[in-house]
Amino acid sequence: MPNSPTPTHCPYCALQCGMNLTPAPDGTVEVGERADFPVNRGALCGKGRTAPAVLSSRVRLTSPLVRTGGTLVPATWDEALDRIAGGLARTRSEHGPDACGVFGGGGLTNEKAYTLGKFARIVLGTSQIDYNGRFCMSSAAAGGIKAFGLDRGLPFPLEDIPKSGCVILVGSNPAETMPPALRFFTELKENGGTLIVIDPRRTRTAEQADLHLMPRPGTDLALALGLLHLVVAQGRVDEEYVRERTVGWEDARAAAMAHWPEYVERITGVPVPQLRETVRLFCEPESAMVLTARGPEQQSKGTDTVSAWINLCLATGRAGRPYSGYGCLTGQGNGQGGREHGQKADQLPGYRKLDDPAARAHVAEVWGVDPDTLPGPGRSAYELLDALGTDIRSLLLMGSNPVVSAPRAAHIEERIKSLDFLAVCDVVLSETAALADVVLPVTQWAEETGTTTNLEGRVLLRRKAISPPDGIRSDLEVLHELADRLGVEKGFPTDPEEVFEELRRASAGGPADYSGITYRRLAEENGVFWPCPTEDTAAGPGPTGNTAAQLRPTADTTTQPHPTEDTAAEPGPTENTRAQPHPTEDTTTQPRPTGDTAAHPGTPRLFLDRFAHPDGRARFVAVSHRAVAEEPDAEYPVLLTTGRVVAQYQSGAQTRRVDELNAAAPGPFVELHPRLAERLGAAEGDPVAVVSRRGRAVAPARITLGIRPDTVFMPFHWYGEGRANTLTNPALDPTSRMPEFKACAVRVEAVERQDAG
């Protein structure tokens, strides 16, 4: 009998696209469409379609490795685990618990993220834990908490996007970073809505836009302030909304009025007529959205930039209303859940603050420890990495590759090399794992069950579809074994559902409340949106949920199959529902399970009744433009910005091992304008060097009119001489501690081709 398909989710980006996995007779795994999942409706990008390639023993780790005589050699699990426990115990004994660091990843399931945070704080007693999700949407999270009192990437489902009147995409390129999501913007335009893209490059997404603004990198804050100035000057402020649902408007208004259009044009390079047209397109429809991504967020003023875009939404009454609002397009697969449950330096499960006595008491009770034993907040991701080898002497790292992904990467590589002890858990021998003293091979997405939380705040169940190879263990088993060796025999179960049940209790009553969510519900309902505080509907959807305006799309597209190509065939038109601002029924969650009719429905849409601050009102935050941390000068006259390409993902540790993806994107490149190329004497494909104050990278030139003449672009997926993050600036946002990946001063130099051989 053939194997039946297992419904699960893609291991890559925050869409967490649904897919079916079926083991094939030859030992491979086949990917099939899963049309019932509303986020992708069966469509998959190339990364999703080829994800099973990394399950092959040809590319993955299959045995623990320990460093002997300078070389990593195979070892038994007991030997490897004993070495890790010994290394961590020795550091703790000689230098104190904060000399032990823990670094996690935005691809870890909620169960792993929760257990890793618990392990750091209970077993090691260290405050030094953070994760690579700090490099993803921390600025958006900080801005959202300031304004709304709560951070969830999108406060509404993706399927609301086509029903809006206008969407402004700021520094986002979903056509390449999350291709199945492009359909929502295509449908927006088919429904009569407008798409505005703000990006210094003419990306594949920008090509779909009705209006494309090309600001100078690092000037998104000034741009948002200039738009708000025009909103005020043109009398487009929703005064009633501002009066009834917000506070702080006068200060924010005064700050914006200092950014008149001609001044903003000089800063950003965006012509005043385009600024005026943006305001008209955004304000004329009944509903509108602003969606940001890494472009405005990965800046040393990323939190203020997000606040400025939120201010634009609040001033025009476009937050907490149907088909309107501010949202962030999260990047990593579980970037949302990863920070909600304890990987971040300042947070406890349920998105609780680590310095809140009530939060500490609640979580400590679940964990069975004294609240006073919990360490306080630690260093943020870059600061933690920068302290390696000095204050932090040993590091346990799971699911991250900072040698490629961190800013000022050559410096971070040296810091990692200076550690007394490094242990890495991963599925492949990444560039960071290759530096470790011990490497543990762990199970992958298709070989284990667990939950993730996608960019909509939809908690999902990834199901185990195949068994891992012999000798592979899960991260939960690793943490259980290490805890036992370090003297904590209980509290670290290896069954993911048992971990999730504890996570439910730990999150109960917190901002990210999962207590009403169960594995059974996730399986039967195709995911549940948090907050979901109870399994009893009598409690209602919670303080930030909507009870009166549950929205009904008039055309149901959630079950339509779709091709599995990257952006594939375009979807058919859907009926425009922008004229129905107060529909009466919600169809974003799947049908209620027959045996659980009393279950809380979850909260697909936040803020429709009130915001999450105690008074229910949103906060304007008064912000003003300031320059990037490193402006161009005579020595470094050009700005570098970085990003992704469609065929690779993050540090490339997994996708660079897939032949089909490497054929599509075999290596790094430098995108530059013809005028800059002419000054250099560089032709298409010629090697060019990009030099910053932190280092030098060399890659082939890619000459295009689709970039500003004062800007160059490099993708960041590769190691070696083309490593883009050798160049990037670790200047940190003072609130979010986000490094400034998106703008640094560089010079570009021609490089002579080496003779063959």
Side-chain angles (χ1 to χ4, degrees), residues 163-167 192-194 236 278-288 316 318 324 578:
K163 303 168 187 69
S164 187
C166 176
V167 174
T194 302
R236 296 182 182 270
T278 300
V279 169
R280 183 187 72 81
L281 293 172
F282 185 71
C283 291
E284 285 187 353
E286 188 171 5
S287 57
T316 54
R318 304 306 177 88
S324 294
R578 290 187 289 114

Side-chain angles (χ1 to χ4, degrees), residues 12 59 62 104 144 219 232 350 374 384 431 483 542 613 616 622 683 696-697 702 731:
Y12 290 116
V59 300
T62 57
T219 63
V232 176
L374 295 178
L384 188 157
E431 287 78 12
H613 288 295
R696 183 174 188 265
R702 184 173 292 184

Side-chain angles (χ1 to χ4, degrees), residues 305 457 575 618 722 733:
T305 303
E575 186 175 344
D733 180 287

Side-chain angles (χ1 to χ4, degrees), residues 201-225:
R201 303 169 59 228
R202 183 75 175 171
T203 64
R204 295 186 189 182
T205 304
E207 290 172 356
Q208 310 299 315
D210 297 286
L211 178 62
H212 176 206
L213 312 184
M214 297 181 71
R216 187 170 175 263
T219 63
D220 308 273
L221 173 54
L223 179 59
L225 288 163

Side-chain angles (χ1 to χ4, degrees), residues 592-628:
R592 243 344 122 286
T594 56
D596 197 6
T597 55
H600 184 287
T603 314
R605 298 175 181 85
L606 298 170
F607 313 136
L608 293 180
D609 289 332
R610 66 193 310 276
F611 295 98
H613 288 295
D615 61 3
R617 292 172 175 261
R619 271 54 172 161
F620 282 97
V621 179
V623 294
S624 296
H625 166 71
R626 62 182 187 273
V628 297

Side-chain angles (χ1 to χ4, degrees), residues 230-249:
L230 286 169
V231 165
V232 176
Q234 295 176 9
R236 296 182 182 270
V237 175
D238 188 332
E239 300 286 357
E240 181 181 2
Y241 175 95
V242 168
R243 183 172 58 254
E244 294 182 355
R245 298 203 63 186
T246 73
V247 296
W249 167 234

Side-chain angles (χ1 to χ4, degrees), residues 471-559:
I472 306 295
R473 298 187 186 181
S474 72
D475 294 284
L476 294 180
E477 290 173 313
V478 168
L479 293 172
H480 171 86
E481 292 290 340
L482 290 177
D484 184 62
R485 283 167 167 79
L486 290 166
V488 181
E489 298 178 2
K490 296 180 179 180
F492 290 87
T494 60
D495 176 64
E497 187 169 7
E498 186 177 348
V499 175
F500 190 79
E501 287 300 306
E502 183 180 305
L503 182 157
R504 292 176 62 202
R505 299 194 302 275
S507 73
D513 193 332
Y514 285 29
S515 57
I517 303 174
T518 64
Y519 268 34
R520 180 171 62 82
R521 287 194 63 186
L522 294 177
E524 294 175 340
E525 298 177 47
N526 233 343
V528 177
F529 292 84
W530 72 260
C532 184
T534 174
E535 295 185 74
D536 180 3
T537 53
T544 61
N546 177 42
T547 57
Q550 297 288 340
L551 311 184
R552 172 186 289 182
T554 59
D556 180 12
T557 58
T558 61
T559 59

